[in-house]
Amino acid sequence: MKKQKKQGNLGRNKLKYVVGFGILMMLMFSVFMVFYHPPKEAEVVSSTATQNNTAVEEKKSITIHLAAIGDAMCHSQNFKDAYQASTKNYDFSHVFTNIRQKVESADIAIGNLETTFAGAEKGYSGFPTFNTPDALGYALKDMGVDVLSTANNHSLDKGYSGIVRTLDVLDEAGISHMGTYRSLEEQNKILIKDVNGIKFAFLSFTYGTNGIPVPKGKEYCINLIDETLMKRQIDQAKEEQVDVICVSMHWGDEYKIKQNKTQENLADFLFENGVDIILGSHPHVLEPMEKRTITLADGTTKDGFVIYSLGNFISAQKQENTRNTIILDLQITKNPEGKISIDKVEYTPLYVYDKGAGKPQRYKILDIRQTIANYENGTDTSIGATTYKTLKVELTKIESIMGNNF
């Protein structure tokens, strides 16, 4: 009897244990549910929306400024002015002091190099066959120039070896270049630069070489204006999926302030084949600029811009309009969908000031508007009344050629 009673007590104890354990588990589960909140559907949607918003925010518009200058020439008067007797070296930096900030502040700056760096052993020379001290290239780089077109009528002034050495100097100075080449492989490679997220292709072509024959077997050394070659290089640029195609064209009539029909037809050809920006040179004077809406073959539209001539940037020429020039400023935007727009076109009027033969630091490029303002308020005494009047006249000429529609 005692044994049965003991077994009964054990059964009841087991039952109490099981019931107690069950109650403990229920209490623990209740506590867990108090502190645990599974994500609600609205919260999940909100999180997804936040991720989508972040993705949209990551695709922001990109806006950059491209600066363009005209012909960087070097007559004998220019390199004689740059010569430093004390060091027996050349220094062109004083020429650009007043305007360098306008160039170096741009996101990318481009110009036309209308001379060669063929080396001192070939003798420095001005017109008609140019050979300039290397120091000019370094001064342009120091001013902020990133890209130089080298295809023009003076490219072969010192032969094929002059082309090669010119490109070597530009490479050493850190300036990109297009239009002349050391090999067929170089000619077949398009110059591409990423400017803060906007991918540019730069091309360059010239009407000729002043009658100097292009060396046989080295036809690749210079890009001549030829529609087959131009289209081929434009198509190559497209294959690289660039955002902007910028073409430097050495064309037109010297000293004419209006483009000719050939220039207009070539501009149409370039735009029709996908070019966005055309920068003209050769006339040595400014010619008009124009912004267009281009309709492509698929019916879509885009912005296009052409300036038929940027004139001289630095030279010793004295013919009418050869000493007034500009720094062109294009504001270019890539929207989140990848479309390019040319939002704003502005320019800084310049004048190549010549103090006269025998004067130290004879040549200096002046910001016309700034120099006029400084003279009028008495903060600039470096020019006199005669130069002040000249600047006023030159400003009127520039504004007349460029127009005020931008």
Side-chain angles (χ1 to χ4, degrees):
M1 292 293 293
K2 289 181 180 179
K3 186 176 181 180
Q4 288 179 353
K5 186 175 181 180
K6 188 176 181 180
Q7 289 176 344
N9 288 337
L10 287 172
R12 283 193 293 271
N13 288 339
K14 286 181 181 180
L15 179 61
K16 288 178 182 179
Y17 175 78
V18 171
V19 171
F21 181 77
I23 292 171
L24 178 62
M25 292 299 294
M26 289 177 67
L27 287 171
M28 290 177 66
F29 180 78
S30 299
V31 171
F32 174 78
M33 291 304 295
V34 168
F35 292 99
Y36 172 70
H37 294 282
K40 298 178 182 177
E41 183 178 353
E43 291 173 333
V44 173
V45 172
S46 175
S47 175
T48 303
T50 300
Q51 291 173 0
N52 290 338
N53 288 338
T54 301
V56 170
E57 289 173 0
E58 288 174 354
K59 287 187 175 181
K60 293 181 179 178
S61 293
I62 303 169
T63 297
I64 65 102
H65 285 261
L66 179 148
I69 60 174
D71 303 336
M73 305 184 74
C74 189
H75 293 84
S76 58
Q77 297 95 319
N78 297 117
F79 64 73
K80 287 176 182 177
D81 176 45
Y83 183 68
Q84 307 289 302
S86 59
T87 61
K88 296 184 179 181
N89 289 320
Y90 294 85
D91 183 1
F92 292 86
S93 59
H94 65 274
V95 180
F96 311 120
T97 302
N98 285 17
I99 52 90
R100 62 174 296 155
Q101 191 277 332
K102 296 280 187 179
V103 178
E104 66 184 2
S105 64
D107 296 289
I108 188 164
I110 179 173
N112 172 53
L113 180 67
E114 194 148 4
T115 185
T116 68
F117 299 132
E121 61 276 10
K122 290 203 172 183
Y124 297 132
S125 55
F127 183 82
T129 53
F130 290 93
N131 182 28
T132 299
D134 302 350
L136 177 61
Y138 288 92
L140 292 170
K141 175 62 177 179
D142 187 57
M143 184 180 60
V145 173
D146 303 291
V147 178
L148 283 172
S149 166
T150 55
N152 54 69
N153 55 308
H154 289 286
S155 299
L156 278 166
D157 278 4
K158 297 300 176 181
Y160 173 74
S161 64
I163 283 180
V164 171
R165 192 179 183 285
T166 298
L167 300 183
D168 290 345
V169 170
L170 294 179
D171 286 343
E172 290 169 7
I175 299 178
S176 301
H177 46 82
M178 72 289 184
T180 57
Y181 308 96
R182 289 163 287 212
S183 67
L184 179 61
E185 183 182 10
E186 281 191 0
Q187 187 190 35
N188 288 334
K189 186 176 180 180
I190 303 301
L191 174 61
I192 294 174
K193 305 211 36 112
D194 188 303
V195 186
N196 300 341
I198 300 180
K199 195 174 180 182
F200 282 78
F202 293 97
L203 308 176
S204 174
F205 305 91
T206 179
Y207 75 91
T209 57
N210 284 346
I212 300 173
V214 177
K216 283 190 176 182
K218 293 184 171 66
E219 289 80 8
Y220 55 76
C221 73
I222 187 165
N223 277 356
L224 297 177
I225 292 175
D226 173 83
E227 290 189 358
T228 300
L229 174 62
M230 291 191 291
K231 188 174 187 311
R232 189 183 82 210
Q233 292 200 347
I234 292 167
D235 289 343
Q236 283 181 256
K238 290 177 183 176
E239 289 171 6
E240 298 282 349
Q241 298 183 323
V242 298
D243 300 304
V244 178
I245 301 176
C246 179
V247 179
S248 295
M249 294 291 289
H250 207 72
W251 57 5
D253 299 318
E254 289 186 313
Y255 315 119
K256 300 293 184 182
I257 60 172
K258 183 77 167 62
Q259 72 275 10
N260 61 34
K261 194 64 179 176
T262 299
Q263 287 168 279
E264 292 175 352
N265 290 339
L266 283 169
D268 290 342
F269 171 82
L270 293 170
F271 283 135
E272 288 165 6
N273 282 279
V275 171
D276 301 276
I277 298 168
I278 303 170
L279 304 174
S281 60
H282 178 60
H284 301 302
V285 296
L286 290 167
E287 290 183 346
M289 57 185 175
E290 176 187 356
K291 182 181 173 185
R292 298 189 190 180
T293 298
I294 310 298
T295 301
L296 303 176
D298 61 3
T300 60
T301 61
K302 69 171 186 173
D303 288 346
F305 174 84
V306 56
I307 181 166
Y308 287 102
S309 175
L310 280 153
N312 289 334
F313 181 63
I314 175 63
S315 80
Q317 289 189 303
K318 294 184 177 180
Q319 295 94 321
E320 186 178 5
N321 296 313
T322 59
R323 291 164 68 181
N324 63 50
T325 183
I326 64 171
I327 298 172
L328 178 69
D329 177 11
L330 298 182
Q331 180 176 298
I332 302 165
T333 295
K334 178 181 178 181
N335 72 15
E337 287 71 44
K339 186 170 183 178
I340 294 294
S341 60
I342 301 171
D343 308 315
K344 191 184 296 184
V345 179
E346 296 180 326
Y347 63 86
T348 301
L350 307 179
Y351 181 72
V352 181
Y353 178 42
D354 180 359
K355 293 180 183 178
K359 299 287 182 67
Q361 298 190 349
R362 174 179 177 178
Y363 293 98
K364 182 171 287 190
I365 303 175
L366 302 179
D367 177 333
I368 296 179
R369 290 189 182 123
Q370 189 63 58
T371 305
I372 288 174
N374 291 346
Y375 179 84
E376 290 176 343
N377 64 30
T379 59
D380 188 349
T381 58
S382 65
I383 64 169
T386 301
T387 301
Y388 167 73
K389 291 176 183 177
T390 298
L391 293 179
K392 297 276 280 187
V393 171
E394 297 299 325
L395 178 59
T396 300
K397 288 180 180 179
I398 291 171
E399 291 175 342
S400 175
I401 297 169
M402 293 292 94
N404 296 306
N405 300 320
F406 295 93

